[in-house]
mmCIF file of all heavy atoms in Angstrom:
data_model
loop_
_atom_site.group_PDB
_atom_site.id
_atom_site.type_symbol
_atom_site.label_atom_id
_atom_site.label_comp_id
_atom_site.label_asym_id
_atom_site.label_seq_id
_atom_site.Cartn_x
_atom_site.Cartn_y
_atom_site.Cartn_z
ATOM 1 N N THR E 1492 0.607 1.326 2.326
ATOM 2 C CA THR E 1492 0.092 -0.081 2.442
ATOM 3 C C THR E 1492 -1.428 -0.029 2.442
ATOM 4 O O THR E 1492 -2.084 -0.858 1.806
ATOM 5 C CB THR E 1492 0.622 -0.742 3.695
ATOM 6 O OG1 THR E 1492 2.069 -0.673 3.706
ATOM 7 C CG2 THR E 1492 0.173 -2.161 3.788
ATOM 8 N N ASN E 1493 -2.011 0.940 3.157
ATOM 9 C CA ASN E 1493 -3.472 1.107 3.102
ATOM 10 C C ASN E 1493 -3.956 1.299 1.650
ATOM 11 O O ASN E 1493 -4.897 0.659 1.224
ATOM 12 C CB ASN E 1493 -3.909 2.285 3.958
ATOM 13 C CG ASN E 1493 -3.929 2.022 5.422
ATOM 14 O OD1 ASN E 1493 -3.481 0.960 5.860
ATOM 15 N ND2 ASN E 1493 -4.400 3.000 6.204
ATOM 16 N N VAL E 1494 -3.254 2.129 0.942
ATOM 17 C CA VAL E 1494 -3.634 2.430 -0.447
ATOM 18 C C VAL E 1494 -3.389 1.200 -1.339
ATOM 19 O O VAL E 1494 -4.172 0.917 -2.238
ATOM 20 C CB VAL E 1494 -2.829 3.652 -0.944
ATOM 21 C CG1 VAL E 1494 -3.087 3.869 -2.462
ATOM 22 C CG2 VAL E 1494 -3.260 4.918 -0.194
ATOM 23 N N ALA E 1495 -2.300 0.510 -1.095
ATOM 24 C CA ALA E 1495 -1.988 -0.699 -1.896
ATOM 25 C C ALA E 1495 -3.124 -1.719 -1.741
ATOM 26 O O ALA E 1495 -3.537 -2.357 -2.722
ATOM 27 C CB ALA E 1495 -0.664 -1.311 -1.470
ATOM 28 N N TRP E 1496 -3.636 -1.902 -0.507
ATOM 29 C CA TRP E 1496 -4.743 -2.805 -0.278
ATOM 30 C C TRP E 1496 -6.011 -2.328 -0.985
ATOM 31 O O TRP E 1496 -6.795 -3.076 -1.529
ATOM 32 C CB TRP E 1496 -4.971 -2.992 1.191
ATOM 33 C CG TRP E 1496 -4.330 -4.255 1.728
ATOM 34 C CD1 TRP E 1496 -3.285 -4.340 2.590
ATOM 35 C CD2 TRP E 1496 -4.661 -5.585 1.381
ATOM 36 N NE1 TRP E 1496 -2.921 -5.637 2.812
ATOM 37 C CE2 TRP E 1496 -3.767 -6.443 2.109
ATOM 38 C CE3 TRP E 1496 -5.599 -6.173 0.570
ATOM 39 C CZ2 TRP E 1496 -3.797 -7.828 2.003
ATOM 40 C CZ3 TRP E 1496 -5.657 -7.577 0.468
ATOM 41 C CH2 TRP E 1496 -4.793 -8.372 1.171
ATOM 42 N N LYS E 1497 -6.208 -0.978 -0.951
ATOM 43 C CA LYS E 1497 -7.337 -0.394 -1.681
ATOM 44 C C LYS E 1497 -7.260 -0.756 -3.163
ATOM 45 O O LYS E 1497 -8.211 -1.180 -3.816
ATOM 46 C CB LYS E 1497 -7.363 1.118 -1.503
ATOM 47 C CG LYS E 1497 -8.428 1.867 -2.305
ATOM 48 C CD LYS E 1497 -8.347 3.349 -1.995
ATOM 49 C CE LYS E 1497 -9.458 4.138 -2.703
ATOM 50 N NZ LYS E 1497 -9.281 4.220 -4.178
ATOM 51 N N MET E 1498 -6.066 -0.587 -3.724
ATOM 52 C CA MET E 1498 -5.851 -0.925 -5.158
ATOM 53 C C MET E 1498 -6.051 -2.401 -5.450
ATOM 54 O O MET E 1498 -6.657 -2.774 -6.456
ATOM 55 C CB MET E 1498 -4.432 -0.500 -5.549
ATOM 56 C CG MET E 1498 -4.185 1.015 -5.447
ATOM 57 S SD MET E 1498 -2.408 1.420 -5.534
ATOM 58 C CE MET E 1498 -2.025 1.012 -7.254
ATOM 59 N N ALA E 1499 -5.544 -3.262 -4.525
ATOM 60 C CA ALA E 1499 -5.690 -4.688 -4.721
ATOM 61 C C ALA E 1499 -7.170 -5.103 -4.704
ATOM 62 O O ALA E 1499 -7.593 -5.892 -5.549
ATOM 63 C CB ALA E 1499 -4.900 -5.432 -3.677
ATOM 64 N N MET E 1500 -7.902 -4.552 -3.761
ATOM 65 C CA MET E 1500 -9.307 -4.934 -3.620
ATOM 66 C C MET E 1500 -10.137 -4.444 -4.838
ATOM 67 O O MET E 1500 -11.080 -5.085 -5.244
ATOM 68 C CB MET E 1500 -9.845 -4.396 -2.323
ATOM 69 C CG MET E 1500 -9.291 -5.062 -1.093
ATOM 70 S SD MET E 1500 -9.559 -6.842 -0.976
ATOM 71 C CE MET E 1500 -11.316 -6.889 -0.710
ATOM 72 N N GLU E 1501 -9.772 -3.287 -5.325
ATOM 73 C CA GLU E 1501 -10.529 -2.704 -6.435
ATOM 74 C C GLU E 1501 -10.119 -3.299 -7.771
ATOM 75 O O GLU E 1501 -10.875 -3.130 -8.781
ATOM 76 C CB GLU E 1501 -10.358 -1.189 -6.446
ATOM 77 C CG GLU E 1501 -11.022 -0.506 -5.269
ATOM 78 C CD GLU E 1501 -10.748 0.970 -5.169
ATOM 79 O OE1 GLU E 1501 -9.928 1.475 -6.012
ATOM 80 O OE2 GLU E 1501 -11.319 1.661 -4.304
ATOM 81 N N ASN E 1502 -8.992 -3.976 -7.868
ATOM 82 C CA ASN E 1502 -8.529 -4.564 -9.071
ATOM 83 C C ASN E 1502 -9.216 -5.951 -9.283
ATOM 84 O O ASN E 1502 -8.788 -6.918 -8.668
ATOM 85 C CB ASN E 1502 -7.010 -4.727 -9.099
ATOM 86 C CG ASN E 1502 -6.513 -5.409 -10.368
ATOM 87 O OD1 ASN E 1502 -7.208 -5.459 -11.388
ATOM 88 N ND2 ASN E 1502 -5.318 -5.959 -10.335
ATOM 89 N N GLN E 1503 -10.198 -5.963 -10.130
ATOM 90 C CA GLN E 1503 -10.926 -7.218 -10.383
ATOM 91 C C GLN E 1503 -10.605 -7.779 -11.772
ATOM 92 O O GLN E 1503 -11.300 -8.669 -12.254
ATOM 93 C CB GLN E 1503 -12.424 -6.994 -10.194
ATOM 94 C CG GLN E 1503 -12.781 -6.623 -8.775
ATOM 95 C CD GLN E 1503 -14.259 -6.740 -8.437
ATOM 96 O OE1 GLN E 1503 -14.940 -7.592 -8.992
ATOM 97 N NE2 GLN E 1503 -14.730 -5.881 -7.577
ATOM 98 N N LYS E 1504 -9.597 -7.223 -12.383
ATOM 99 C CA LYS E 1504 -9.241 -7.666 -13.756
ATOM 100 C C LYS E 1504 -8.068 -8.639 -13.766
ATOM 101 O O LYS E 1504 -7.958 -9.503 -14.646
ATOM 102 C CB LYS E 1504 -8.876 -6.451 -14.624
ATOM 103 C CG LYS E 1504 -10.015 -5.563 -14.926
ATOM 104 C CD LYS E 1504 -9.529 -4.432 -15.833
ATOM 105 C CE LYS E 1504 -10.648 -3.503 -16.278
ATOM 106 N NZ LYS E 1504 -10.121 -2.423 -17.184
ATOM 107 N N THR E 1505 -7.130 -8.439 -12.829
ATOM 108 C CA THR E 1505 -5.877 -9.188 -12.852
ATOM 109 C C THR E 1505 -5.414 -9.501 -11.455
ATOM 110 O O THR E 1505 -5.897 -8.918 -10.460
ATOM 111 C CB THR E 1505 -4.726 -8.392 -13.544
ATOM 112 O OG1 THR E 1505 -4.490 -7.209 -12.775
ATOM 113 C CG2 THR E 1505 -5.115 -7.987 -14.963
ATOM 114 N N PRO E 1506 -4.486 -10.413 -11.262
ATOM 115 C CA PRO E 1506 -3.877 -10.630 -9.948
ATOM 116 C C PRO E 1506 -3.047 -9.453 -9.474
ATOM 117 O O PRO E 1506 -2.520 -8.701 -10.307
ATOM 118 C CB PRO E 1506 -3.038 -11.908 -10.090
ATOM 119 C CG PRO E 1506 -2.757 -11.981 -11.584
ATOM 120 C CD PRO E 1506 -3.913 -11.376 -12.280
ATOM 121 N N THR E 1507 -2.976 -9.303 -8.148
ATOM 122 C CA THR E 1507 -2.187 -8.212 -7.544
ATOM 123 C C THR E 1507 -1.255 -8.823 -6.521
ATOM 124 O O THR E 1507 -1.649 -9.721 -5.759
ATOM 125 C CB THR E 1507 -3.091 -7.182 -6.853
ATOM 126 O OG1 THR E 1507 -4.057 -6.738 -7.776
ATOM 127 C CG2 THR E 1507 -2.285 -6.023 -6.321
ATOM 128 N N GLY E 1508 -0.038 -8.337 -6.444
ATOM 129 C CA GLY E 1508 0.899 -8.776 -5.392
ATOM 130 C C GLY E 1508 1.314 -7.639 -4.518
ATOM 131 O O GLY E 1508 1.655 -6.533 -5.005
ATOM 132 N N LEU E 1509 1.227 -7.799 -3.220
ATOM 133 C CA LEU E 1509 1.721 -6.806 -2.241
ATOM 134 C C LEU E 1509 3.031 -7.327 -1.672
ATOM 135 O O LEU E 1509 3.107 -8.437 -1.109
ATOM 136 C CB LEU E 1509 0.681 -6.587 -1.128
ATOM 137 C CG LEU E 1509 -0.436 -5.656 -1.395
ATOM 138 C CD1 LEU E 1509 -1.377 -6.186 -2.470
ATOM 139 C CD2 LEU E 1509 -1.255 -5.330 -0.118
ATOM 140 N N ILE E 1510 4.066 -6.522 -1.815
ATOM 141 C CA ILE E 1510 5.450 -6.921 -1.373
ATOM 142 C C ILE E 1510 5.766 -6.080 -0.159
ATOM 143 O O ILE E 1510 5.936 -4.849 -0.223
ATOM 144 C CB ILE E 1510 6.423 -6.678 -2.526
ATOM 145 C CG1 ILE E 1510 5.948 -7.393 -3.824
ATOM 146 C CG2 ILE E 1510 7.833 -7.114 -2.136
ATOM 147 C CD1 ILE E 1510 6.723 -7.020 -5.091
ATOM 148 N N LEU E 1511 5.876 -6.739 1.015
ATOM 149 C CA LEU E 1511 5.879 -6.056 2.279
ATOM 150 C C LEU E 1511 7.104 -6.338 3.097
ATOM 151 O O LEU E 1511 7.704 -7.416 3.047
ATOM 152 C CB LEU E 1511 4.634 -6.456 3.080
ATOM 153 C CG LEU E 1511 3.278 -6.304 2.296
ATOM 154 C CD1 LEU E 1511 2.151 -6.969 3.057
ATOM 155 C CD2 LEU E 1511 2.992 -4.826 2.022
ATOM 156 N N SER E 1512 7.464 -5.391 3.953
ATOM 157 C CA SER E 1512 8.699 -5.495 4.730
ATOM 158 C C SER E 1512 8.506 -6.255 6.036
ATOM 159 O O SER E 1512 7.415 -6.282 6.606
ATOM 160 C CB SER E 1512 9.221 -4.092 5.068
ATOM 161 O OG SER E 1512 8.467 -3.511 6.117
ATOM 162 N N ARG E 1513 9.588 -6.879 6.453
ATOM 163 C CA ARG E 1513 9.632 -7.496 7.803
ATOM 164 C C ARG E 1513 9.936 -6.429 8.848
ATOM 165 O O ARG E 1513 9.357 -6.426 9.918
ATOM 166 C CB ARG E 1513 10.710 -8.590 7.849
ATOM 167 C CG ARG E 1513 10.857 -9.204 9.204
ATOM 168 C CD ARG E 1513 12.227 -9.749 9.446
ATOM 169 N NE ARG E 1513 12.383 -10.524 10.645
ATOM 170 C CZ ARG E 1513 13.500 -10.927 11.195
ATOM 171 N NH1 ARG E 1513 14.625 -10.530 10.571
ATOM 172 N NH2 ARG E 1513 13.566 -11.605 12.281
ATOM 173 N N GLN E 1514 10.873 -5.518 8.535
ATOM 174 C CA GLN E 1514 11.380 -4.576 9.534
ATOM 175 C C GLN E 1514 10.538 -3.286 9.487
ATOM 176 O O GLN E 1514 9.833 -2.979 8.525
ATOM 177 C CB GLN E 1514 12.845 -4.256 9.256
ATOM 178 C CG GLN E 1514 13.110 -3.180 8.179
ATOM 179 C CD GLN E 1514 12.843 -3.610 6.783
ATOM 180 O OE1 GLN E 1514 12.569 -4.751 6.501
ATOM 181 N NE2 GLN E 1514 12.963 -2.675 5.851
ATOM 182 N N GLY E 1515 10.601 -2.548 10.605
ATOM 183 C CA GLY E 1515 9.927 -1.284 10.702
ATOM 184 C C GLY E 1515 10.489 -0.277 9.671
ATOM 185 O O GLY E 1515 11.694 -0.325 9.321
ATOM 186 N N ILE E 1516 9.625 0.639 9.239
ATOM 187 C CA ILE E 1516 10.021 1.645 8.240
ATOM 188 C C ILE E 1516 9.543 2.973 8.762
ATOM 189 O O ILE E 1516 8.362 3.111 9.191
ATOM 190 C CB ILE E 1516 9.404 1.386 6.848
ATOM 191 C CG1 ILE E 1516 9.810 0.024 6.287
ATOM 192 C CG2 ILE E 1516 9.764 2.462 5.871
ATOM 193 C CD1 ILE E 1516 9.079 -0.368 5.013
ATOM 194 N N LYS E 1517 10.386 3.962 8.728
ATOM 195 C CA LYS E 1517 9.972 5.339 9.123
ATOM 196 C C LYS E 1517 8.902 5.823 8.143
ATOM 197 O O LYS E 1517 9.050 5.719 6.933
ATOM 198 C CB LYS E 1517 11.170 6.294 9.130
ATOM 199 C CG LYS E 1517 12.112 6.048 10.278
ATOM 200 C CD LYS E 1517 13.210 7.092 10.299
ATOM 201 C CE LYS E 1517 14.151 6.904 11.506
ATOM 202 N NZ LYS E 1517 15.232 7.911 11.527
ATOM 203 N N ASP E 1518 7.814 6.382 8.698
ATOM 204 C CA ASP E 1518 6.782 6.953 7.840
ATOM 205 C C ASP E 1518 7.372 8.093 6.991
ATOM 206 O O ASP E 1518 8.224 8.847 7.443
ATOM 207 C CB ASP E 1518 5.626 7.495 8.671
ATOM 208 C CG ASP E 1518 4.869 6.355 9.352
ATOM 209 O OD1 ASP E 1518 5.144 5.197 9.040
ATOM 210 O OD2 ASP E 1518 4.007 6.652 10.199
ATOM 211 N N LEU E 1519 6.878 8.198 5.791
ATOM 212 C CA LEU E 1519 7.373 9.267 4.909
ATOM 213 C C LEU E 1519 6.835 10.619 5.396
ATOM 214 O O LEU E 1519 5.728 10.720 5.962
ATOM 215 C CB LEU E 1519 6.928 9.006 3.463
ATOM 216 C CG LEU E 1519 7.445 7.701 2.852
ATOM 217 C CD1 LEU E 1519 6.995 7.574 1.383
ATOM 218 C CD2 LEU E 1519 8.950 7.593 2.973
ATOM 219 N N PRO E 1520 7.561 11.676 5.154
ATOM 220 C CA PRO E 1520 7.122 13.013 5.588
ATOM 221 C C PRO E 1520 5.850 13.422 4.916
ATOM 222 O O PRO E 1520 5.568 13.011 3.788
ATOM 223 C CB PRO E 1520 8.290 13.930 5.220
ATOM 224 C CG PRO E 1520 9.026 13.190 4.159
ATOM 225 C CD PRO E 1520 8.890 11.733 4.477
ATOM 226 N N VAL E 1521 5.078 14.204 5.631
ATOM 227 C CA VAL E 1521 3.769 14.659 5.107
ATOM 228 C C VAL E 1521 3.929 16.067 4.559
ATOM 229 O O VAL E 1521 4.441 16.947 5.238
ATOM 230 C CB VAL E 1521 2.715 14.624 6.248
ATOM 231 C CG1 VAL E 1521 1.324 15.012 5.695
ATOM 232 C CG2 VAL E 1521 2.627 13.212 6.879
ATOM 233 N N LYS E 1522 3.417 16.281 3.368
ATOM 234 C CA LYS E 1522 3.489 17.605 2.755
ATOM 235 C C LYS E 1522 2.222 18.408 3.097
ATOM 236 O O LYS E 1522 2.276 19.600 3.385
ATOM 237 C CB LYS E 1522 3.589 17.511 1.227
ATOM 238 C CG LYS E 1522 4.901 16.881 0.758
ATOM 239 C CD LYS E 1522 5.001 16.919 -0.755
ATOM 240 C CE LYS E 1522 3.980 15.998 -1.411
ATOM 241 N NZ LYS E 1522 4.129 16.021 -2.931
ATOM 242 N N SER E 1523 1.067 17.753 3.073
ATOM 243 C CA SER E 1523 -0.219 18.456 3.166
ATOM 244 C C SER E 1523 -0.864 18.325 4.537
ATOM 245 O O SER E 1523 -1.876 18.989 4.765
ATOM 246 C CB SER E 1523 -1.165 17.873 2.122
ATOM 247 O OG SER E 1523 -1.475 16.514 2.471
ATOM 248 N N GLY E 1524 -0.387 17.462 5.377
ATOM 249 C CA GLY E 1524 -1.069 17.225 6.645
ATOM 250 C C GLY E 1524 -1.858 15.951 6.654
ATOM 251 O O GLY E 1524 -2.343 15.505 7.700
ATOM 252 N N ASN E 1525 -2.021 15.286 5.474
ATOM 253 C CA ASN E 1525 -2.747 14.055 5.415
ATOM 254 C C ASN E 1525 -1.944 13.008 4.587
ATOM 255 O O ASN E 1525 -1.984 13.033 3.363
ATOM 256 C CB ASN E 1525 -4.132 14.264 4.793
ATOM 257 C CG ASN E 1525 -5.028 13.019 4.882
ATOM 258 O OD1 ASN E 1525 -4.558 11.909 4.703
ATOM 259 N ND2 ASN E 1525 -6.293 13.286 5.168
#
């Protein structure tokens, strides 16, 4: 979601839509530590 907002803010050519959940979601596993 942080990255999606980064993409939306940097996109100055076209509209952007963020499609977001109501319910909690388990964070995805980390491969690299970040």
